[in-house]
């Protein structure tokens, strides 16, 4: 089931603490055929409970603070990129070549928001940067051929599959066999000794230093949440891979941002690692191994570290090292088929895989810190967008019409089944405005509500890569 209790169980949490969670349900939000609202509530609720648990330990009390999960706040945060305004300007979330395309036998979805991915897509297809030329080239090929050809050139294109087709795929089987949140010990490092914190304001992660090596949405959402809870988060990016400015504005709250070339500045990274408590990575499995950033290598050099890893397709399997984004995982796993029609694939009402996985990753880090205070050990946490997608589909068991989980639905439009879409509440209660180095920002507040903890970040996002690569 996609509920707080199952997410909390996946994190290894004490089920007795679930009594501290209350919910405010708003049926009109995140409306979809799949249980998106329930998944979003579960991920945020588990994250908030992990924060409350760690906060109680650090405050020296047996009473875990109350946690409230409001569907309105959760839904607003899950589409935070859509609510963002920078000096009154709304960002563009998808580039023109990031979309669904018809092929000779079906559909593919491409992702070309970043310049290097756009260039690789066009090179693989052998066409200029012209949507009409791309459409013509794709219409002549099969979806699976496009998928393989573009991937071979380092680009991003994924063929539409049904949930049944994904379950039969080798990568689908590999991901389905893994836990929703993988976590465990890496060594026998000594028990973590925490400094105490106050209960008001409650900052469960105060003093925790986090190296943030993530990009796009899921990883930055996780580290943005840790920053809200008091962590000192330093995001590191390669100078060779510039970030999208609006994406950074949405996910950069509470953090500092620096550029560091791991190939040329290894000494600077090792100095940062020597004083870090948590390292969060969001690159393809194996992509950072040559820099000594496997969990085992990091723990050897920094005993007591928590290593949190995020990927699109999960560890292992034939797609384990492929690039991926939320939109593409929706297409591969069958979500786009379920949410669409016989005429065209559909999408979730939010990039729920990104946001949900981000909150699960933050929850895993918080729980790892709590466990270190009890039993020590360097720790690892591992999540994947494709595994979160599987959890979402599992939560729909018995909810979809018979047979629909394995094929493209023969219906027109969505929502399906004659359901009317309830009106959503206004998001104004969960939005805020403030000045920043990037301009005047309107943004979504965090949905992680713990009694005594802040709802807003201490600092707005600064300019990407403008901070020094060192701890204060």
């Amino acid at each position: 089931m996609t509920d707080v209790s199952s997410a909390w169980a996946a994190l290894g949490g004490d089920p007795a603490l679930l009594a501290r969670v209350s919910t405010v349900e708003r049926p009109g939000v995140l409306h979809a055929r799949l249980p998106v609202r329930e998944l979003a509530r579960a991920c945020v609720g588990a994250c908030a409970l992990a924060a409350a648990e760690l906060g109680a330990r650090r405050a020296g009390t047996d009473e875990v603070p109350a946690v409230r999960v409001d569907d309105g706040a959760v839904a607003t945060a899950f589409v935070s990129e859509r609510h963002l305004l920078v000096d009154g300007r709304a960002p563009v979330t998808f580039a023109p070549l990031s979309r669904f395309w018809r092929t000779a036998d079906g559909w593919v979805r491409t992702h070309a928001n970043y310049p290097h991915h756009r260039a690789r897509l066009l090179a693989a297809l052998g066409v200029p940067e012209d949507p009409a030329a791309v459409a013509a080239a794709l219409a002549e090929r099969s979806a699976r051929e496009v998928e393989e050809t573009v991937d071979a050139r380092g680009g991003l294109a994924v063929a539409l599959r049904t949930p049944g087709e994904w379950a039969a795929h080798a990568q689908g089987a590999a991901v389905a066999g893994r836990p929703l949140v993988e976590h465990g010990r890496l060594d026998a490092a000594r028990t973590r000794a925490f400094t105490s914190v106050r209960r008001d304001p409650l900052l469960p992660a105060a003093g925790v230093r986090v190296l943030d090596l993530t990009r796009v949405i899921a990883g930055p959402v996780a580290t943005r949440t840790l920053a809200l809870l008091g962590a000192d988060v330093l995001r590191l990016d390669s100078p060779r891979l510039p970030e999208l400015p609006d994406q950074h504005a949405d996910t950069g709250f509470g953090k500092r941002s620096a550029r560091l070339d791991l190939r040329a500045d290894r000494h600077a990274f090792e100095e940062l690692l020597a004083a870090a408590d948590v390292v969060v990575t969001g690159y393809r499995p194996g992509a950072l191994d040559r820099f000594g950033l496997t969990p085992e290598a990091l723990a050897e050099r920094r005993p007591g570290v928590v290593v949190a890893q995020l990927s699109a397709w999960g560890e292992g399997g034939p797609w384990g090292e492929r690039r991926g984004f939320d939109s593409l995982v929706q297409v591969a796993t069958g979500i786009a088929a379920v949410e669409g029609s016989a005429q065209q694939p559909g999408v979730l009402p939010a990039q729920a895989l990104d946001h949900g996985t981000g909150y699960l990753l933050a929850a895993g880090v918080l729980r790892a810190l709590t466990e270190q205070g009890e039993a020590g050990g360097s720790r690892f946490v591992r999540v994947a967008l494709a595994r979160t997608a599987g959890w979402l589909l599992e939560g729909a068991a018995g909810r979809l019409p018979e047979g629909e989980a394995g094929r493209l639905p023969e219906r027109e439009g969505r929502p399906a089944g004659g359901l009317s879409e309830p009106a959503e509440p206004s998001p104004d209660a969960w939005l805020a405005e403030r000045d920043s180095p990037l301009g005047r920002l309107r943004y979504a507040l965090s949905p992680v509500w713990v009694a005594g903890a802040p709802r807003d970040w201490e600092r707005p996002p600064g300019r990407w890569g403008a901070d020094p690569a060192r701890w204060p």
Side-chain angles (χ1 to χ4, degrees):
M1 293 178 62
T2 45
D3 57 16
V4 176
S5 62
S6 59
W8 187 241
L11 291 159
D14 180 357
L17 296 184
L18 290 166
R20 303 302 296 157
V21 182
S22 63
T23 61
V24 179
E25 296 190 14
R26 303 181 189 273
V29 304
L30 297 177
H31 191 67
R33 294 182 58 78
L34 294 169
V36 178
R37 178 169 59 98
E38 293 86 343
L39 176 139
R41 182 196 303 147
C43 295
V44 171
C47 183
L49 188 55
E53 177 190 38
L54 179 59
R57 167 171 287 277
R58 297 194 63 186
T61 177
D62 293 330
E63 182 184 0
V64 173
V67 168
R68 187 178 73 224
V69 188
D70 189 314
D71 283 351
V74 172
T76 302
F78 266 56
V79 291
S80 60
E81 62 274 11
R82 300 181 202 168
H83 292 297
L84 177 70
L85 293 178
V86 182
D87 285 333
R89 176 187 59 81
V92 176
T93 55
F94 282 100
L97 298 185
S98 297
R99 46 167 281 197
F100 286 107
W101 306 84
R102 275 199 177 276
T103 64
D105 63 349
W107 294 88
V108 296
R109 180 151 190 171
T110 55
H111 195 288
N113 285 6
Y114 288 97
H116 57 294
H117 291 155
R118 181 172 63 249
R120 293 169 185 171
L121 171 67
L122 296 172
L125 299 178
V127 297
E129 190 174 342
D130 174 19
V134 173
L138 293 174
E140 296 175 350
R141 309 184 190 191
S142 72
R144 304 293 173 88
E145 178 192 355
V146 171
E147 182 179 84
E148 294 302 322
T149 299
V150 174
D151 176 73
R153 295 295 294 266
L156 293 136
V158 172
L160 177 70
R161 290 172 172 81
T162 65
E165 289 170 335
W166 178 247
H169 191 280
Q171 190 63 33
V175 173
R178 306 188 80 103
L180 176 63
V181 181
E182 299 180 56
H183 53 90
R185 293 174 64 120
L186 293 165
D187 58 26
R190 67 176 184 272
T191 302
R192 181 179 290 275
F194 285 115
T195 57
S196 61
V197 297
R198 294 182 295 168
R199 292 204 63 168
D200 190 13
L202 180 65
L203 294 172
V208 174
R209 287 176 165 173
V210 178
L211 281 179
D212 176 6
L213 281 70
T214 69
R215 295 170 62 79
V216 197
I217 296 177
V221 163
T223 52
R224 180 180 71 182
T225 303
L226 296 174
L228 173 81
L229 299 170
D232 181 1
V233 179
L234 176 61
R235 173 167 164 169
L236 296 178
D237 283 280
S238 168
R240 297 179 173 84
L241 292 174
E243 182 59 289
L244 302 175
D246 291 334
Q247 202 160 258
H248 170 69
D250 179 46
T251 61
F253 282 88
K255 313 175 193 177
R256 290 175 296 115
S257 170
R259 283 174 281 185
L260 187 70
D261 189 335
L262 292 178
R263 288 179 288 187
D265 299 323
R266 290 303 304 276
H267 179 71
F269 178 81
E270 294 301 323
E271 285 189 335
L272 290 169
L273 175 64
D277 300 291
V278 178
V279 178
V280 186
T281 67
Y283 292 79
R284 292 175 296 131
L288 298 177
D289 290 2
R290 67 185 186 278
F291 301 114
L293 298 182
T294 64
E296 295 77 11
L298 289 167
E300 183 176 348
R301 304 201 303 281
R302 175 59 169 158
V305 72
V306 174
V307 183
Q309 296 177 299
L310 162 77
S311 65
W313 306 107
E315 291 272 327
W319 285 19
E321 295 184 3
R322 286 198 180 192
R323 299 166 178 84
F325 293 89
D326 180 307
S327 58
L328 303 183
V329 176
Q330 289 188 39
V331 174
T333 58
I335 289 172
V338 172
E339 291 292 335
S341 70
Q343 288 71 44
Q344 183 169 344
V347 296
L348 296 177
Q351 293 192 70
L353 307 181
D354 262 334
H355 286 271
T357 306
Y359 289 108
L360 287 176
L361 187 61
V365 170
L366 295 166
R367 288 243 60 247
L369 292 170
T370 296
E371 290 175 341
Q372 284 184 327
E374 299 169 351
S378 302
R379 304 269 170 166
F380 74 90
V381 180
R382 191 174 295 126
V383 293
L385 302 185
R387 185 63 190 92
T388 304
W391 187 44
L392 177 63
L393 288 162
E394 292 160 13
R399 177 166 168 166
L400 298 174
E402 185 177 354
E404 196 157 285
R407 60 180 174 82
L408 190 65
E410 296 177 1
R411 62 181 188 276
E412 294 185 5
R414 55 176 298 269
L419 299 176
S420 61
E421 185 167 352
E424 295 191 10
S426 169
D428 291 348
W430 304 290
L431 298 175
E433 292 192 21
R434 71 197 300 179
D435 292 322
S436 79
L438 307 177
R440 182 73 176 174
L441 301 180
R442 187 192 74 175
Y443 58 98
L445 293 168
S446 174
V448 176
W449 189 95
V450 179
R455 287 291 312 283
D456 201 349
W457 290 268
E458 182 179 348
R459 56 187 292 165
R463 298 194 180 280
W464 178 80
D467 295 300
R470 62 173 181 267
W471 300 115

